[in-house]
């Protein structure tokens, strides 16, 4: 049987939510990954070091006994963000990075930044202290076609920001386009990009496959096949700018299958398996460990895990849903279907 052994991977972009959902989803990530960068878009958002430390405690309490997992906390930037709280939180080991959500670009981004000029002092501090800036890279103007929002963000906001703050380190999160893949490797080691499993596996046809598919809807939305091909090439390129970030984003099934369905694909239960499928299809399993376990830690400046895991090419059935206490259910990627790889043992 084909198998692959590699250091425990790191998920550099995940949503855990809070309360019962947090308790239901954290174990999936904690079992599969040694660490994860946790997104701060709660209601209300995680804006201060104090809120982040309390959130980290709630996450740690949901990690199953005997499992080693380290959550890395992020600061939700607003027009009012306090550079001092951010840099002290970073110094104290609470904040790993800060997240820029352009206001109204995605789930729970209503408190996000209305214009990049509003956070000039924060960005100067981040550049001085070496705190990475994580970006949801989409413009929000309604006159811009939803499929062009990433490309236009890159030209209008990302590149000018990288030029204005020449030492700022940036991760363009969940890239979905050829333009995203191209730019991510064109600023040396100060720019990186995470890539999700769904953007490697599917193009936008998956949203309309025989009918409307709400569980395939996330932001940035799935794009054309040329973009998926560019992302697969980037992920398997062996370049250190591209690394694993699932963007696992659980929403209750009833809130996705709705008149105005929420954006987000819940991939945590099958994420490593899904990436393995992609690298296997690309005949690039030799590039997998760097993408999944090394390049992310390298960008952030922490040590990759020294523990090894083995996955085997053996199909595993994925449950139809994950029940969350008495409040609802979550439908993961590949629900009711099979994944081709599974964790050995
Ligand atoms: C994310 C969420 O649900 O929090 N949704 C998504 O579609 N990706 C937010 C985000 O990462 O933009
Ligand atoms: Zn996002
Ligand atoms: Zn996300």
């Amino acid at each position: 049987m084909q198998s692959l052994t590699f250091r425990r991977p790191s998920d550099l972009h995940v949503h855990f939510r809070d309360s019962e959902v947090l308790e239901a989803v954290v174990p999936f990530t904690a079992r599969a990954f040694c660490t994860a960068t946790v997104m701060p878009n709660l209601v209300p958002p995680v804006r201060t070091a104090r809120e982040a430390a309390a959130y980290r405690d709630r996450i740690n309490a949901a990690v199953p006994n005997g499992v080693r997992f380290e959550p890395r906390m992020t600061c939700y930037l607003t027009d009012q963000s306090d550079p001092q709280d951010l840099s002290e939180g970073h110094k104290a080991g609470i904040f790993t990075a800060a997240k820029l959500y352009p206001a109204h670009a995605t789930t729970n981004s209503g408190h996000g930044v209305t214009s990049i000029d509003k956070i000039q002092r924060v960005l100067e501090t981040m550049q001085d202290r070496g705190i990475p800036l994580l970006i949801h890279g989409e413009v929000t103007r309604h006159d811009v076609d939803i499929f062009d929002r990433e490309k236009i963000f890159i030209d209008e906001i990302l590149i000018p920001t990288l030029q204005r703050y020449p030492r700022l380190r940036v991760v363009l999160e969940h890239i979905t386009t050829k333009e995203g893949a191209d730019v991510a490797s064109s600023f040396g080691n100060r720019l990186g990009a995470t890539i999700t499993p769904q953007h490697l596996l599917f193009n936008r046809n998956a949203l309309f496959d025989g009918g409307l598919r709400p569980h395939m809807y996330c932001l940035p939305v799935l794009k054309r096949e040329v973009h998926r091909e560019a992302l697969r090439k980037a992920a398997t390129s062996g370049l250190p700018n591209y690394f694993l970030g699932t963007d696992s984003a659980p929403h209750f099934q009833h809130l996705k299958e709705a008149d105005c369905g929420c954006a987000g694909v819940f991939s945590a239960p099958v994420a490593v398996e899904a990436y393995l499928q992609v690298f296997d299809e690309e005949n690039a399993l030799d590039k997998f460990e760097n993408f999944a376990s090394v390049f992310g830690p390298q960008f952030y400046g922490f040590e990759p895990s020294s523990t090894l895991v083995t996955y085997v090419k053996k199909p595993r059935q994925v449950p139809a849903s994950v029940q969350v206490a008495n409040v609802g259910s979550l439908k993961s990627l590949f629900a009711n279907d099979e994944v081709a790889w599974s964790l050995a043992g």
Side-chain angles (χ1 to χ4, degrees):
M1 197 186 307
Q2 209 184 338
S3 74
L4 194 70
T5 298
F6 47 95
R7 281 167 274 188
R8 277 183 88 205
S10 295
D11 182 354
L12 283 309
H13 182 137
V14 75
H15 300 268
F16 284 151
R17 317 304 187 201
D18 216 335
S19 310
E20 295 98 335
V21 176
L22 177 148
E23 284 163 25
V25 304
V26 163
F28 291 109
T29 298
R31 287 200 179 95
F33 296 94
C34 65
T35 185
T37 305
V38 182
M39 293 300 129
N41 60 334
L42 304 185
V43 186
V46 180
R47 284 170 284 199
T48 64
R50 206 180 144 148
E51 289 162 351
Y55 185 35
R56 183 173 65 182
D57 291 345
R58 300 198 292 281
I59 294 165
N60 280 327
V63 174
N65 285 335
V67 172
R68 278 188 62 174
F69 175 74
E70 185 187 348
R72 291 172 192 277
M73 310 312 292
T74 57
C75 172
Y76 184 116
L77 296 177
T78 71
D79 289 353
Q80 285 78 39
S81 284
D82 174 10
Q84 198 181 336
D85 182 72
L86 173 60
S87 76
E88 283 171 8
H90 179 253
K91 218 166 153 188
I94 298 165
F95 283 134
T96 278
K99 181 75 189 267
L100 167 61
Y101 290 104
H104 307 293
T106 186
T107 306
N108 301 334
S109 60
H111 296 276
V113 173
T114 59
S115 149
I116 192 102
D117 298 328
K118 302 258 171 140
I119 56 166
Q120 191 184 332
R121 281 178 49 236
V122 173
L123 296 182
E124 283 163 1
T125 302
M126 292 177 68
Q127 152 165 282
D128 290 344
R129 304 288 151 91
I131 306 172
L133 176 70
L134 317 182
I135 302 183
H136 179 107
E138 288 192 287
V139 293
T140 54
R141 297 197 311 272
H142 286 288
D143 59 313
V144 178
D145 190 279
I146 188 164
F147 293 100
D148 297 333
R149 288 180 185 176
E150 179 172 292
K151 172 181 155 40
I152 294 187
F153 183 93
I154 290 167
D155 293 337
E156 291 186 0
I157 314 283
L158 178 68
I159 293 175
T161 301
L162 287 162
Q163 288 166 344
R164 184 164 171 195
Y165 304 93
R167 288 172 291 113
L168 185 64
R169 314 198 64 239
V170 174
V171 182
L172 184 57
E173 297 292 335
H174 47 43
I175 54 170
T176 63
T177 57
K178 181 177 183 309
E179 291 80 6
D182 287 345
V183 78
S185 58
S186 58
F187 281 82
N189 64 5
R190 55 185 290 242
L191 182 60
T194 52
I195 311 182
T196 78
Q198 66 268 22
H199 292 101
L200 293 167
L201 286 163
F202 304 105
N203 64 35
R204 65 193 195 178
N205 285 353
L207 283 162
F208 310 104
D209 187 9
L212 193 58
R213 299 289 183 171
H215 295 282
M216 285 287 117
Y217 172 55
C218 65
L219 289 170
V221 72
L222 294 170
K223 302 294 192 302
R224 282 179 182 276
E225 179 64 5
V226 283
H227 298 293
R228 185 181 79 109
E229 282 165 4
L231 297 176
R232 288 170 79 104
K233 210 170 143 206
T236 58
S237 65
L239 287 173
N241 306 84
Y242 309 106
F243 42 86
L244 188 157
T246 62
D247 192 21
S248 179
H251 290 277
F252 286 126
Q253 201 162 342
H254 65 272
L255 297 179
K256 286 192 68 70
E257 298 167 9
D259 183 37
C260 184
C262 298
V265 171
F266 175 44
S267 59
V270 296
V272 177
E273 296 87 331
Y275 285 112
L276 278 166
Q277 180 185 320
V278 171
F279 278 70
D280 191 10
E281 287 166 357
E282 295 290 320
N283 287 316
L285 286 171
D286 59 318
K287 303 283 199 315
F288 183 81
E289 182 177 44
N290 277 338
F291 175 80
S293 318
V294 177
F295 292 154
Q298 193 170 295
F299 183 92
Y300 276 80
F302 64 89
E303 281 300 308
S305 173
S306 51
T307 308
L308 297 177
V309 287
T310 298
Y311 280 76
V312 288
K313 195 167 177 183
K314 179 178 144 199
R316 167 169 79 82
Q317 182 69 26
V318 181
S321 64
V322 172
Q323 195 58 38
V324 179
N326 292 323
V327 271
S329 60
L330 307 169
K331 195 172 168 193
S332 78
L333 187 63
F334 290 125
N336 244 335
D337 199 347
E338 277 184 352
V339 282
W341 289 76
S342 31
L343 187 59

